[in-house]
């Protein structure tokens, strides 16, 4: 099974295997999402994430703390370096 990551910017959708590291797949596909530290502390990959199925794993305590710092007013924000794909998602990077 694969999931599809689509982008509000119109970038071509990317297929992701659930066992793959999302940040590695998006980087290799030259997606519009940038990754900095890759550990969930810099906020570079913060993106608005929507899942048509409504199925996303809960953010960890550490991810929620980082999001509170970098995106306090964006309830749909997630750090893509920490997100494990479990459904099709649509993303919009919050930091150009």
């Amino acid at each position: 099974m694969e999931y599809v990551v689509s982008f509000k910017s119109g970038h071509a959708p990317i297929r992701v295997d659930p066992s793959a590291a999302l940040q590695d797949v998006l980087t290799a596909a030259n997606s519009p999402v940038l990754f900095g530290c890759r550990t969930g502390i810099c906020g570079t990959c913060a993106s608005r994430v929507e899942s048509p199925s409504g199925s996303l794993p809960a953010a960890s305590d550490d991810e929620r703390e980082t999001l509170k710092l970098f995106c306090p007013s964006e309830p749909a924000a997630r750090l893509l370096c920490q997100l494990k794909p479990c459904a099709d998602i649509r993303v919009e990077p919050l930091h150009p």
Side-chain angles (χ1 to χ4, degrees):
M1 170 175 278
E2 289 183 323
Y3 300 113
V4 175
V5 178
S6 59
F7 303 90
K8 187 172 181 177
S9 67
H11 186 280
I14 299 170
R15 295 195 173 280
V16 179
D17 185 281
S19 64
L22 185 58
Q23 63 189 357
D24 293 341
V25 174
L26 295 182
T27 298
N30 199 26
S31 81
V33 180
L34 300 177
F35 293 92
C37 68
R38 297 179 171 259
T39 60
I41 60 173
C42 72
T44 303
C45 64
S47 298
R48 185 175 296 115
V49 178
E50 301 168 351
S51 173
S53 69
S55 179
L56 287 175
S60 69
D61 290 341
D62 290 338
E63 181 181 0
R64 281 194 300 275
E65 287 299 315
T66 301
L67 291 169
K68 232 188 289 185
L69 179 65
F70 292 104
C71 317
S73 61
E74 182 52 62
R78 293 299 300 266
L79 299 176
L80 294 186
C81 69
Q82 302 299 299
L83 188 63
K84 303 287 184 209
C86 66
D88 293 346
I89 57 174
R90 182 177 171 98
V91 302
E92 177 184 5
L94 294 173
H95 306 293

